[in-house]
Amino acid sequence: MKNEIKKITKIIDEVINYFMFHYKPFVAMTIDCKGDTFFISFVFKDLKLSDEEFDKIKSKFKLNRRVEIEDYYWQLVGDSENASEFTLVSLMSDEIQFSKDDESVYLTITRKKSKK
Amino acid sequence: MSEKANLSFIFILPILLILTALLTTPLDAIFSGLYKIILSKSILFTDYIEIGGFGAALFNAGLCGLIACILIVILKIYVSGPFIAAVFTIIGFAFFGKNIFNIWPIFIGGFIFAKIQKAPLKQYFLISLFGTTLAPLISFLAFGAGFSKLYGILIGWIIGIIVGFILPPLAAHMLKFHSGYNLYNTGFTGGIIGSFVTAVLRAFDIVIENEKILNETYDVFFKIYFLCFFIFLLLLSFLFSIFDLKKLKISLKKILESPGRLISDFILIGGLRVTIFNMGVMGCISLIFLTLIGGKINGPIIGAILTVVGFSAFGKHPKNTVQILIGVYLASTIKIYGSNIFIIALCGLFSTTLAPIAGKYGFFAGIIAGFFHLSVVMNVGILHGGVNLYNNGFAGGFVAACLIPVIYALSKEKED
């Protein structure tokens, strides 16, 4: 499927944009491509999110992937500084894990290539 | 609420309209009216209530909505906010431009695009649903361009399929132009395609001229009819929430906090109950606005009201739309269009396509957006000659693209 890499970079843009705008943390990121699946992992070090902030972001990541929405609206991902487009990130992802501990925040996004 | 409830909900209005038609109009009058509707050019503004009569117009609207709903079921699509908006928009515009003849080529073009992309058929169906904005192009080529009927239908359908085919990549691309601040994005895309096609047709001496066929005979009936429907929506949401009004309140807060920028899917944000409540409220606000400015209901106004209600599942709520309506009204008091109540009502209701500007940048930004929208919308229709039904979506794209960079630069949110 076309635009697959663009979609991955847009998702990364969106995440980085949001966290840099609000917290300016130290960010470590890896992208791993295994077969038809991309794993994008972020570690935001020295970032302490309040429970309220954490839950607000996490609630955006609870949605299932929707191809019928994704292919229309994916171009909007990546240019917003608030969390509203995390909804779209969620609609473009097969699995999202979002967690935190006393020192860092962890985000892993799994996205399979669109079905052919 | 379950997925089934979402699906059942979109069937309510199409069935209601069909039943109303069958109960008020003899069957032969409905079918003869429907035939006249199909044969009309359907260019902006062709009020199907005038062309085919009251019953046929209702029947056509219900049938178009039912076709959309059945295709959603067949394609196994999860009914979320965008699809509710699309179904209500199709029903609304089936009072003045979309009919059971001219919507199919757009769908077929979208399906062919999906096939060529080796994607599931449902992948581009949302764009196809909204893409029926260009349905009048098919009717015009079939019955208004001077071709023989058979040849015209053939050309109309071929062009319609091509348009349906090119819409998915274009609609997605055009979002960048206004950054999601124009809710009727397909209207903007349709305006671009319509202008392109119209320019080519003009080069072959095929001139598309705007129509203004309106029927306001049933003003009082429709005001009561739709008021009852919107109250029914409010009651339905209360009925669903009878044991949990607190949750409804929390969900409503979530929706009202949303700026409404694409994509703000209220089904995902707050659930079906509160979305229905918001739709009912927005329907009542639309009727109040119309009544306050002295507007009367005709086909296009029904389209505008139902579009507002549909998009109340996908971006619009009272907090981000009222200021746009005020902006349009203020503009009408000092501009030359002030005496044309129909235009003010239509532009006012459709101008809420710019709700995300008000939602994101506040009350005055909304008023400014509405103020400029009225002028722009009166000057872009000539480009596509009326083949693009979502003319306000076309205009809204330009308004948003011009205003957003300036408002963003001046807004307090800006850092550095």
Side-chain angles (χ1 to χ4, degrees):
Chain A
M1 183 61 69
K2 285 172 194 159
N3 300 321
E4 202 59 42
I5 300 299
K6 277 187 187 172
K7 286 177 186 174
I8 295 291
T9 55
K10 282 271 192 185
I11 289 171
I12 294 166
D13 256 6
E14 185 67 37
V15 174
I16 297 285
N17 209 9
Y18 176 81
F19 281 94
M20 289 305 289
F21 191 90
H22 290 278
Y23 310 108
K24 297 183 180 66
F26 177 87
V27 189
M29 186 194 78
T30 58
I31 307 172
D32 190 7
C33 180
K34 286 179 182 161
D36 66 346
T37 308
F38 284 94
F39 300 91
I40 312 159
S41 301
F42 300 88
V43 179
F44 302 100
K45 290 181 181 172
D46 301 326
L47 173 60
K48 288 177 185 172
L49 286 182
S50 68
D51 287 344
E52 193 187 351
E53 284 173 306
F54 179 78
D55 290 340
K56 193 179 173 185
I57 297 170
K58 194 168 185 176
S59 68
K60 308 270 182 184
F61 288 141
K62 280 183 178 171
L63 309 170
N64 298 322
R65 190 166 175 189
R66 302 264 160 72
V67 289
E68 66 273 21
I69 303 291
E70 172 187 318
D71 252 299
Y72 189 179
Y73 295 109
W74 68 272
Q75 303 229 25
L76 287 177
V77 179
D79 63 353
S80 173
E81 67 281 1
N82 63 39
S84 60
E85 267 63 40
F86 280 170
T87 308
L88 200 45
V89 169
S90 190
L91 293 171
M92 292 169 68
S93 306
D94 291 282
E95 193 186 341
I96 295 180
Q97 291 173 339
F98 188 58
S99 58
K100 66 168 186 167
D101 58 24
D102 290 342
E103 292 180 349
S104 303
V105 174
Y106 307 89
L107 174 65
T108 303
I109 297 170
T110 307
R111 178 183 155 84
K112 290 179 182 162
K113 284 180 189 170
S114 300
K115 282 178 190 172
K116 291 195 174 183
Chain B
M1 298 295 291
S2 69
E3 207 172 314
K4 240 179 201 171
N6 295 5
L7 195 60
S8 308
F9 174 67
I10 58 171
F11 276 89
I12 293 175
L13 186 57
I15 290 171
L16 183 71
L17 291 171
I18 290 171
L19 283 178
T20 311
L22 292 173
L23 290 172
T24 56
T25 314
L27 216 54
D28 56 337
I30 289 177
F31 286 119
S32 66
L34 201 58
Y35 186 65
K36 285 178 193 163
I37 285 172
I38 287 170
L39 292 185
S40 72
K41 285 190 279 184
S42 300
I43 297 292
L44 276 178
F45 298 101
T46 304
D47 188 340
Y48 286 165
I49 300 169
E50 177 66 23
I51 297 288
F54 172 83
L58 286 174
F59 195 76
N60 176 62
L63 217 53
C64 286
L66 206 57
I67 290 168
C69 293
I70 290 169
L71 286 171
I72 285 171
V73 173
I74 292 170
L75 295 172
K76 293 177 182 158
I77 291 169
Y78 175 81
V79 178
S80 51
F83 283 94
I84 292 176
V87 169
F88 272 72
T89 303
I90 284 207
I91 296 169
F93 280 84
F95 279 91
F96 73 112
K98 298 181 185 181
N99 59 56
I100 52 170
F101 163 79
N102 64 16
I103 57 174
W104 287 103
I106 310 280
F107 293 158
I108 294 168
F111 291 148
I112 294 172
F113 183 78
K115 269 281 167 207
I116 287 177
Q117 292 291 311
K118 293 175 182 165
L121 289 183
K122 69 177 179 180
Q123 195 145 325
Y124 303 102
F125 190 59
L126 181 63
I127 299 175
S128 296
L129 284 172
F130 284 126
T132 48
T133 178
L134 286 164
L137 181 62
I138 297 146
S139 288
F140 173 77
L141 288 169
F143 309 116
F147 302 119
S148 69
K149 207 170 268 180
L150 191 69
Y151 191 52
I153 290 172
L154 193 69
I155 290 184
W157 268 55
I158 290 170
I159 298 291
I161 290 169
I162 293 170
V163 164
F165 182 84
I166 62 171
L167 259 170
L170 274 177
H173 184 73
M174 293 298 171
L175 278 167
K176 288 195 283 188
F177 187 74
H178 52 76
S179 304
Y181 285 94
N182 174 30
L183 289 175
Y184 310 156
N185 175 59
T186 319
F188 182 69
T189 314
I192 299 287
I193 297 173
S195 303
F196 187 85
V197 176
T198 304
V200 173
L201 289 176
R202 281 171 184 156
F204 288 96
D205 204 23
I206 299 172
V207 180
I208 306 173
E209 283 177 4
N210 276 32
E211 303 273 4
K212 199 179 178 187
I213 304 165
L214 300 173
N215 184 322
E216 294 176 342
T217 316
Y218 301 95
D219 173 50
V220 177
F221 171 84
F222 278 124
K223 275 180 181 157
I224 295 168
Y225 184 81
F226 283 114
L227 181 64
C228 290
F229 179 66
F230 300 142
I231 291 171
F232 164 74
L233 292 183
L234 294 175
L235 292 175
L236 195 65
S237 67
F238 279 123
L239 195 71
F240 283 152
S241 315
I242 200 145
F243 299 111
D244 206 352
L245 280 173
K246 199 179 167 189
K247 198 177 173 189
L248 182 74
K249 208 174 157 187
I250 293 167
S251 302
L252 187 63
K253 197 178 166 221
K254 277 187 196 170
I255 282 185
L256 294 176
E257 278 174 358
S258 162
R261 185 183 167 222
L262 291 170
I263 67 161
S264 296
D265 185 338
F266 293 162
I267 293 281
L268 301 180
I269 293 172
L272 181 64
R273 281 178 285 204
V274 73
T275 302
I276 294 175
F277 179 80
N278 188 48
M279 290 170 78
V281 170
M282 288 302 296
C284 293
I285 288 175
S286 301
L287 283 177
I288 290 168
F289 171 74
L290 185 70
T291 309
L292 282 178
I293 63 166
K296 288 187 174 177
I297 289 198
N298 49 45
I301 296 292
I302 294 174
I305 291 172
L306 290 182
T307 305
V308 171
V309 173
F311 272 86
S312 301
F314 191 42
K316 295 182 187 179
H317 53 67
K319 261 180 84 179
N320 67 6
T321 48
V322 172
Q323 50 274 64
I324 311 262
L325 294 174
I326 294 171
V328 170
Y329 180 74
L330 287 177
S332 75
T333 60
I334 57 169
K335 290 182 185 175
I336 57 171
Y337 316 112
S339 58
N340 195 334
I341 300 294
F342 166 67
I343 291 296
I344 300 164
L346 197 74
C347 289
L349 293 166
F350 277 130
S351 67
T352 50
T353 181
L354 296 168
I357 296 180
K360 174 82 177 171
Y361 294 106
F363 190 82
F364 290 107
I367 288 184
I368 290 167
F371 187 89
F372 286 118
H373 182 80
L374 181 64
S375 299
V376 177
V377 81
M378 295 305 292
N379 285 282
V380 295
I382 195 164
L383 291 172
H384 57 76
V387 297
N388 176 37
L389 288 172
Y390 310 163
N391 190 42
N392 280 266
F394 188 33
F398 289 114
V399 176
C402 289
L403 288 184
I404 289 302
V406 179
I407 295 173
Y408 182 76
L410 299 174
S411 69
K412 285 177 187 170
E413 274 189 351
K414 192 172 177 286
E415 279 202 342
D416 304 326

